[in-house]
Amino acid sequence: MELDVKSMKLFIRVAAIGAIGRAGRDFGYSPTAASQRIQMLEEALGSKLLNRTTRTVSLTGDGEKFLVHARKIVDDIEDAVTDLQGNRKTVAGELRVTASASFGRRYVAPFVGEFLRDHPDASVNLELSDGVFDIVQHGFDLALRIGTLAPSTLVARRIADNPRILVASPGYLEAHGVPAAASELADHNCLLLGATRIWQLRDANGKQSAISVNGNFTTSYGEAATEAAVSGVGIALKSRWDIVDQLAAGALVEVLPDHVVEPEWSLWAVRPPGRVVSARVQVFTEFIEKKLQAALV
């Protein structure tokens, strides 16, 4: 019996997430069909690749050995396809992309239609979530992430700046005064996002300050911090793209505009490790980079 490449790809996915049914769904297989494919692969090899229980799936010793070969085989095939495609950049198949909820809704989703019109053989599965998770384990081709990236085996491409600024409503500043120096933030009601309690700033002369801030409103959701700032609760630390409308309308104004918030953040396109970049990932990354660099000016 010949080895089936699709079944090898399925096996690699099962090894990554430890679930046959969920891995099968990523390839459009029913749980039964996915199990049958794995069983046929084991029969072709004459070895048991997976230990199965009612709750978990794990690799056997032979499964761990075969995983190394399966990955190399799949990589070599994708290398060959990419080499034959040359510069044609044939874009087909499903592209699984994830981004944060607010950013993705505002700056990614509006461009998906244009991408699909340009590439009718492609499809996009866009997952919007504020959670940070393992894109390899969850089967994503690309993640758009904001901030500073921790060291990892993922391949990251910086695609745009992401400046952050301090903002407050005119009403709040009229009632509580306008901070003239970073140190004065300690005396203001600052809106806290997640566990962040230290705001780091650098003034026009290069002086750096780390201010321990406090406030009576804490949230894990960025849009809630924006709404609180607009309603006059306090000073918020926000990405500029997230409050561009409020700034234009005068609902929020910049605080300490001559200061730079540190560390300086960027927008990144992050993909799983590997030598081969599929045409759909490469073309979409280039497409969204151009769109975002224009939109985030």
Side-chain angles (χ1 to χ4, degrees):
M1 186 181 297
E2 295 182 357
L3 295 179
D4 178 71
V5 175
K6 292 182 178 179
S7 295
M8 281 192 279
K9 289 182 177 180
L10 174 63
F11 168 70
I12 293 169
R13 183 78 182 119
V14 172
I17 66 175
I20 296 176
R22 187 149 56 93
R25 286 196 297 272
D26 293 341
F27 292 90
Y29 303 140
S30 69
T32 299
S35 294
Q36 289 174 342
R37 278 190 169 273
I38 295 297
Q39 184 176 351
M40 291 172 63
L41 183 62
E42 290 177 323
E43 291 174 354
L45 292 167
S47 296
K48 183 179 179 181
L49 302 176
L50 300 173
N51 291 313
R52 304 168 177 83
T53 69
T54 55
R55 294 186 178 182
T56 63
V57 175
S58 61
L59 292 174
T60 64
D62 285 345
E64 292 177 352
K65 293 177 183 177
F66 181 67
L67 179 61
V68 175
H69 296 289
R71 284 173 172 163
K72 185 178 186 304
I73 291 169
V74 170
D75 283 347
D76 286 345
I77 291 173
E78 291 181 347
D79 271 341
V81 171
T82 299
D83 186 46
L84 290 174
Q85 285 178 346
N87 294 321
R88 288 178 294 169
K89 290 185 177 179
T90 302
V91 179
E94 184 184 56
L95 177 69
R96 301 194 70 219
V97 183
T98 182
S100 64
S102 297
F103 182 82
R105 184 170 60 250
R106 179 170 184 141
Y107 290 101
V108 181
F111 298 125
V112 170
E114 180 180 345
F115 177 80
L116 292 176
R117 285 192 296 272
D118 291 343
H119 306 285
D121 293 329
S123 63
V124 174
N125 182 338
L126 178 61
E127 174 82 15
L128 300 182
S129 171
D130 288 330
V132 178
F133 44 78
D134 187 331
I135 63 172
V136 176
Q137 182 180 6
H138 287 80
F140 285 99
D141 300 298
L142 188 70
L144 297 173
R145 289 183 171 168
I146 295 170
T148 55
L149 301 180
S152 75
T153 59
L154 301 176
V155 180
R157 171 174 172 171
R158 183 181 176 280
I159 61 176
D161 293 328
N162 187 85
R164 293 181 294 162
I165 60 175
L166 301 177
V167 293
S169 70
Y172 173 85
L173 296 175
E174 182 179 353
H176 301 279
V178 179
S183 59
E184 295 181 16
L185 292 171
D187 299 323
H188 280 266
N189 196 49
C190 295
L191 308 180
L192 306 175
L193 188 61
T196 302
R197 296 294 183 272
I198 303 293
W199 288 357
Q200 301 179 65
L201 297 99
R202 185 179 73 249
D203 67 16
N205 296 318
K207 179 183 178 181
Q208 296 178 318
S209 302
I211 311 302
S212 178
V213 295
N214 294 284
N216 60 8
F217 182 75
T218 302
T219 181
S220 61
Y221 191 46
E223 290 186 3
T226 300
E227 293 301 321
V230 169
S231 65
V233 176
I235 299 175
L237 173 56
K238 299 290 300 181
S239 293
R240 184 179 287 276
W241 62 260
D242 200 16
I243 39 85
V244 63
D245 291 342
Q246 292 85 351
L247 289 171
L252 292 174
V253 296
E254 192 168 352
V255 175
L256 296 173
D258 59 340
H259 285 61
V260 174
V261 176
E262 295 186 323
E264 296 184 63
W265 281 7
S266 297
L267 175 64
W268 303 87
V270 182
R271 64 174 177 83
R275 296 170 297 163
V276 178
V277 184
S278 69
R280 60 182 178 271
V281 172
Q282 181 179 347
V283 172
F284 184 82
T285 301
E286 293 171 354
F287 167 83
I288 203 67
E289 179 176 4
K290 291 179 181 177
K291 294 297 182 181
L292 294 178
Q293 286 184 352
L296 297 176
V297 172

